[in-house]
Amino acid sequence: GSLVAAVLAHSGRLDKEHLGARVGRLSRRGEVCTMINKKYSEFLPSMQSAEDLVAQVEGLSNNIDLLKAGIENEVQQDLNVAVAEFTELKQQLERDTLVLSVLKKLQEFDTTIKECNSALLEQQYVTAAQQLEKARSSLRSLESRRGFELKILKALGTELTVQTQNMIYHLGEEWQKLIVWKLPPSKGSSSLEAVVLSELHLHTVPPQDEDTAVPPVAAVLQALAVLGELRSKLRDFGQLLLQYILKPLISHPSLEPVPEEQPDVFILRFRSQELALDEASPMEVFDKIKLVFEVLHKYLLNVPLEQPGEGREEGRVTLAELLGELIWEELSDCLIHNCLVNSIPTNSSKLEQYKEVIESTEEFEKALKKMQFLKEDTTALLKYACNVDSHFANKKCQDVIMAARNLMTSEIHNTVKITPDSSIALPELPDPGSGDHLKMHRPSNLLHNGTVNLGSESRLSPFTLCLPSCCISCSVQQLLELAYHTLLEATASTDLCCVQLFDCVRNIFQLFYEVVPTYHRENLQKLPQLAAIHHNNCMYIAHHLLTLGHQFRYRSTSVLSNGAATFVDLVPGFRRLGMECFLAQMRVQKGEILERLSSARNFSNMDDEENYCAANKAIKQVLHQLRRLGMVWQDVLPVNVYCKAMGALLNTALAEIVTRIAALEDISAEDADRLYSLCRIMVEEGPQVFTPLLEEDKNKKYQEEVPVYVQKWMTFKELMIILQANLQEIVDQWADGKGPLAEEFSAAEVKSLIRALFQNTERRAAALAKIK
């Protein structure tokens, strides 16, 4: 019952709510309708006004269409006609304007030509030249018009060219009246005789004996400048000035200018002094050149010219400045190479005296600048003169290199004997220990007798590390003296000069390394004596290069004292150069020895008289060759080198003889006797080729020491013993491989000799069995 009651109550609430909602919606709909009616009543007038406006716009659009149709049909046609007429009138105006301008230019051209002719007749050259340039400008303007070409322009151009050449001709005539050169017949010559006959005449005022007045210098020069011909005239004048006045004054010290002034002309002549130095000092040359320019400046060059096209200040320039631009470079080069170069001192002690040259050069440049011949920033001469240290070093190096090259290309065979106590002729160098800054480098003290104290009782000989006695070329000794003196001068020079001179000395030796083997190649290959001398030369240079830099290290505080000034790196190259040349000569001599022994018919069949004579002749030829070499190398090579060389050559001969005899398969008793006699010739006469010294009694020592220098000497003597020994003696010499024979020959060689010398018997077999 309670549930039913609850459901009824709930359904009653729902009905009430639904009814309320419907009432609310109906009320809102009424409000909306009221609002719509209000808006509609307001919209109707607006809509009506809009419709009226649309009607007006449509009417206006119709009027516009009617107006547009009228314009297109009536106005546009009239407008096109007007535009065409305007364009035609404009083109006609342009043509008329162009014709008028051309006629004006033609009138200007005609007027300027007439005025030019009038001015030229009155000798008003500047005015005439200016009018001519105006005519040229007018013609240039006419020619620049494209599409408007006249046949008359070609005639006008021809007329302008004729007038210009006429003007230039008249100006040239006046120029020749102003400046007159009287030159010798041979104009191409600038010798002293030709220059003495040369004269320069400057007509600064009109000559009194002529009716036609010469125009002023300025008028002629200005007219030439306007026409653009002045530079050409000045160039020709400058070249004559250089050839016949300026350069001869520099090259010929005896020549001096003689100015002469007359009422209507100035004359510049020359005369030659009989007593004159071979080279003039720069001060004298500068004075002569300055005198010439002062004369030219006074009578010719001091003329201001209008040069608007040059971009110069106020458009004015003097003739002196123009001439200076044309000839100064060539003149300054001539002054440097023919005057200042010769004044560069060749000795550093004379550098102080060169200050006078620097001052004179500075004054010379100032004088030329004052005359406006030079610009203010031109200092070529002064820069060269002030850089004297570099020029001194360059000149010194050139002189040194030239002197060195002359020595290298001189004859090698002019020799001088050097001994262990020989020394280069030099001013005495200071003690290496002198100077506080060098105390740490002080070497070992020398004792009074010249030996070195090694800190104990042992003492070295004063000739330790000295070069042995030998002959070297005089030129090489002079070359070393040149190097020493150059280094000595380097130590007294500035650092820059010092480095250049040091490099120059190194270049001397490098030049020797390249020049001498090439220049003397043929003689070094053909002549054994020259090969030996060249070997000594190279060893002599290498010997001095070891200490050359160190001797000057303590000379001063210059760059040489830092230890970098050394020549030690050149030593191996010079030693190799000397050895290669001498070894090449040794190979040639060995080849000749072997070639002579090849004619001995292998020393076989000596019982044949013809074979024996051939072998004997070959032996004699070899000994003769060795004796000849011994005489050629005598007192030239150092004794030890001499003995080694002769020993090697004699050893070549003995080794070849031993090899050929040991290779024989059959040696009869007579053959053995004759082979022994041939070998005895070599043993008796071979040592006699060892004559290293001129004194005969002193050579015996080296002849007795032949086994020391000839490796195969004992082998050769053992071979001689075998040739004369019996089987038992040979076995005794072998002594079971411990005897002297075993030291020189192998068992196989001894067996081969036994088989060749002895017949096949039991005794020979027994002897062969013992050789093992």
Side-chain angles (χ1 to χ4, degrees):
S2 58
L3 179 60
V4 172
V7 169
L8 290 174
H10 182 66
S11 62
R13 285 197 302 273
L14 291 175
D15 291 338
K16 289 179 181 181
E17 290 176 1
H18 182 68
L19 182 60
R22 293 188 61 187
V23 171
R25 286 196 294 272
L26 290 174
S27 62
R28 284 196 295 274
R29 287 176 181 173
E31 292 175 358
V32 170
C33 290
T34 303
M35 185 181 298
I36 291 172
N37 290 331
K38 182 178 178 181
K39 295 290 184 180
Y40 183 74
S41 60
E42 292 177 356
F43 175 72
L44 286 177
S46 300
M47 181 180 176
Q48 189 64 38
S49 61
E51 290 177 350
D52 295 340
L53 183 60
V54 168
Q56 293 176 8
V57 169
E58 289 178 352
L60 183 59
S61 176
N62 292 331
N63 292 335
I64 290 173
D65 292 338
L66 293 173
L67 181 60
K68 181 179 179 182
I71 290 172
E72 291 178 351
N73 295 330
E74 298 177 5
V75 178
Q76 184 68 36
Q77 185 176 359
D78 297 339
L79 184 61
N80 290 338
V81 173
V83 169
E85 292 178 353
F86 175 77
T87 302
E88 185 178 355
L89 291 173
K90 181 181 178 183
Q91 292 175 351
Q92 184 65 36
L93 178 61
E94 290 176 351
R95 285 195 296 269
D96 294 343
T97 303
L98 181 59
V99 170
L100 182 61
S101 64
V102 169
L103 291 175
K104 285 183 178 180
K105 290 296 181 183
L106 290 173
Q107 183 186 12
E108 289 178 5
F109 183 87
D110 184 66
T111 303
T112 53
I113 290 295
K114 289 180 180 178
E115 292 179 357
C116 173
N117 289 330
S118 300
L120 190 59
L121 291 174
E122 297 175 3
Q123 294 186 345
Q124 296 178 358
Y125 294 111
V126 177
T127 303
Q130 291 173 346
Q131 294 301 322
L132 205 57
E133 285 302 304
K134 287 182 180 179
R136 182 175 285 105
S137 177
S138 299
L139 182 61
R140 195 178 296 118
S141 177
L142 289 172
E143 291 174 343
S144 66
R145 297 181 183 276
R146 299 292 181 184
F148 194 87
E149 300 176 354
L150 295 176
K151 294 182 179 180
I152 195 175
L153 294 183
K154 185 175 181 180
L156 295 179
T158 303
E159 177 65 19
L160 181 62
T161 301
V162 171
Q163 292 294 335
T164 302
Q165 293 302 318
N166 185 37
M167 181 75 175
I168 292 174
Y169 172 76
H170 281 82
L171 291 175
E173 291 290 319
E174 300 300 340
W175 173 269
Q176 291 180 0
K177 292 178 183 179
L178 289 171
I179 302 172
V180 180
W181 287 93
K182 293 188 177 181
L183 302 176
S186 56
K187 291 186 177 181
S189 174
S190 59
S191 62
L192 182 60
E193 295 77 10
V195 175
V196 171
L197 298 176
S198 304
E199 294 182 5
L200 174 60
H201 292 222
L202 300 177
H203 294 269
T204 56
V205 294
Q208 299 175 358
D209 57 346
E210 289 189 9
D211 298 333
T212 304
V214 178
V217 178
V220 176
L221 297 177
Q222 185 64 56
L224 286 170
V226 172
L227 294 177
E229 294 293 321
L230 180 61
R231 187 171 289 272
S232 175
K233 294 291 184 183
L234 277 182
R235 184 178 292 110
D236 295 339
F237 173 77
Q239 290 303 314
L240 291 172
L241 191 67
L242 284 170
Q243 182 177 356
Y244 289 100
I245 295 180
L246 300 177
K247 287 186 177 180
L249 287 175
I250 299 171
S251 304
H252 304 295
S254 62
L255 194 66
E256 64 177 19
V258 182
E260 180 182 346
E261 187 173 0
Q262 296 180 4
D264 58 346
V265 66
F266 177 85
I267 303 174
L268 184 62
R269 295 190 176 94
F270 302 93
R271 68 183 178 192
S272 178
Q273 299 175 347
E274 294 183 0
L275 299 176
L277 300 174
D278 294 335
E279 293 181 359
S281 67
M283 288 73 75
E284 295 175 353
V285 174
F286 290 156
D287 289 340
K288 295 176 184 179
I289 300 294
K290 189 160 48 174
L291 173 61
V292 173
F293 278 114
E294 287 173 350
V295 168
L296 293 176
H297 186 265
K298 180 179 179 181
Y299 294 100
L300 177 66
L301 301 180
N302 191 22
V303 178
L305 302 172
E306 296 292 338
Q307 294 282 328
E310 297 290 335
R312 303 178 186 276
E313 186 179 354
E314 299 179 357
R316 297 178 68 83
V317 62
T318 63
L319 194 65
E321 189 173 349
L322 290 178
L323 184 62
E325 291 178 359
L326 292 172
I327 70 170
W328 173 245
E329 183 177 356
E330 188 173 352
L331 177 60
S332 61
D333 287 343
C334 184
L335 283 169
I336 289 173
H337 295 104
N338 296 302
C339 180
L340 289 179
V341 165
N342 298 329
S343 66
I344 298 295
T346 56
N347 197 305
S348 57
S349 61
K350 298 180 181 179
L351 285 175
E352 286 294 324
Q353 302 174 8
Y354 194 76
K355 291 181 179 179
E356 185 180 357
V357 176
I358 297 176
E359 294 173 358
S360 177
T361 305
E362 187 174 8
E363 292 175 1
F364 177 66
E365 283 193 348
K366 285 181 179 179
L368 295 186
K369 290 176 182 178
K370 187 177 180 180
M371 291 183 281
Q372 296 183 314
F373 183 79
L374 292 183
K375 298 178 182 178
E376 287 298 326
D377 58 347
T378 303
T379 56
L381 284 181
L382 187 59
K383 283 183 179 178
Y384 184 89
C386 290
N387 198 15
V388 61
D389 285 338
S390 176
H391 300 317
F392 163 72
N394 291 336
K395 184 176 182 180
K396 183 69 177 180
C397 290
Q398 289 177 1
D399 293 343
V400 169
I401 291 295
M402 287 302 298
R405 193 180 185 283
N406 290 335
L407 291 173
M408 294 173 199
T409 54
S410 61
E411 295 295 338
I412 298 179
H413 60 75
N414 296 325
T415 60
V416 60
K417 182 70 175 290
I418 62 166
T419 57
D421 55 350
S422 300
S423 61
I424 293 291
L426 270 183
E428 185 158 351
L429 297 175
D431 181 6
S434 62
D436 295 336
H437 62 290
L438 300 170
K439 287 182 178 178
M440 60 181 294
H441 302 292
R442 189 179 183 93
S444 302
N445 292 329
L446 295 177
L447 300 181
H448 294 295
N449 60 358
T451 58
V452 179
N453 187 354
L454 299 179
S456 65
E457 294 183 359
S458 301
R459 295 177 181 177
L460 293 178
S461 165
F463 299 137
T464 302
L465 302 181
C466 288
L467 197 69
S469 298
C470 62
C471 285
I472 63 169
S473 299
C474 297
S475 59
V476 168
Q477 187 181 46
Q478 295 170 10
L479 187 71
L480 261 296
E481 291 178 0
L482 178 65
Y484 272 94
H485 282 283
T486 304
L487 286 177
L488 190 63
E489 189 155 5
T491 58
S493 306
T494 61
D495 286 351
L496 176 63
C497 183
C498 180
V499 172
Q500 284 186 263
L501 291 177
F502 172 75
D503 290 339
C504 176
V505 175
R506 284 188 63 92
N507 291 338
I508 288 175
F509 296 115
Q510 290 170 351
L511 191 66
F512 183 96
Y513 193 90
E514 299 293 337
V515 169
V516 173
T518 304
Y519 186 84
H520 300 282
R521 175 179 299 161
E522 186 175 353
N523 288 334
L524 292 177
Q525 292 174 349
K526 291 182 178 180
L527 305 177
Q529 184 182 36
L530 294 191
I533 295 173
H534 178 65
H535 167 271
N536 295 345
N537 291 342
C538 293
M539 296 304 170
Y540 180 76
I541 292 174
H543 178 73
H544 281 276
L545 290 179
L546 285 170
T547 58
L548 184 58
H550 299 285
Q551 294 182 55
F552 292 90
R553 181 177 179 181
Y554 311 108
R555 182 68 180 171
S556 68
T557 57
S558 66
V559 291
L560 296 181
S561 63
N562 60 8
T566 180
F567 298 86
V568 177
D569 57 305
L570 303 177
V571 171
F574 272 91
R575 288 177 174 171
R576 183 169 56 253
L577 182 66
M579 286 189 295
E580 287 177 353
C581 176
F582 190 69
L583 290 176
Q585 185 60 228
M586 288 288 291
R587 287 192 291 271
V588 171
Q589 298 301 325
K590 286 183 179 180
E592 291 183 3
I593 289 174
L594 295 177
E595 184 179 357
R596 287 184 168 92
L597 289 177
S598 66
S599 64
R601 303 186 182 183
N602 293 328
F603 295 94
S604 62
N605 299 327
M606 288 294 100
D607 52 350
D608 186 342
E609 193 65 29
E610 186 176 346
N611 287 352
Y612 176 75
C613 290
N616 187 51
K617 182 179 178 181
I619 294 290
K620 294 293 182 62
Q621 287 179 340
V622 168
L623 290 172
H624 175 72
Q625 176 185 345
L626 292 177
R627 275 194 294 269
R628 180 173 53 84
L629 280 176
M631 296 302 296
V632 166
W633 287 342
Q634 185 183 60
D635 206 40
V636 173
L637 286 171
V639 171
N640 62 328
V641 177
Y642 178 97
C643 292
K644 288 180 180 179
M646 295 302 297
L649 294 176
L650 181 57
N651 187 74
T652 299
L654 297 184
E656 181 68 10
I657 294 172
V658 169
T659 302
R660 290 180 181 274
I661 293 177
L664 296 176
E665 295 181 357
D666 184 25
I667 304 174
S668 65
E670 187 178 355
D671 288 345
D673 291 338
R674 290 196 167 187
L675 287 174
Y676 179 82
S677 64
L678 292 175
C679 292
R680 187 174 59 190
I681 294 174
M682 291 296 296
V683 170
E684 291 176 353
E685 299 185 17
Q688 297 177 10
V689 303
F690 284 77
T691 55
L693 302 177
L694 294 174
E695 299 84 355
E696 288 296 333
D697 54 340
K698 293 183 178 180
N699 291 328
K700 293 181 180 179
K701 170 187 175 183
Y702 305 104
Q703 294 171 359
E704 293 171 355
E705 295 177 353
V706 165
V708 177
Y709 305 109
V710 183
Q711 184 180 1
K712 293 291 184 178
W713 184 259
M714 296 308 298
T715 304
F716 195 76
K717 297 198 75 172
E718 288 296 325
L719 176 63
M720 292 176 65
I721 292 174
I722 292 176
L723 291 173
Q724 291 293 300
N726 55 38
L727 284 172
Q728 186 58 43
E729 290 173 344
I730 294 175
V731 172
D732 293 342
Q733 286 289 105
W734 180 259
D736 296 330
K738 299 177 183 179
L741 182 59
E743 293 182 2
E744 307 300 335
F745 289 97
S746 65
E749 292 172 334
V750 174
K751 288 180 179 181
S752 176
L753 285 170
I754 291 175
R755 291 190 184 101
L757 288 167
F758 299 97
Q759 294 180 355
N760 188 5
T761 61
E762 293 181 1
R763 291 185 61 203
R764 191 185 78 169
L768 290 174
K770 294 179 181 179
I771 306 298
K772 55 183 177 178

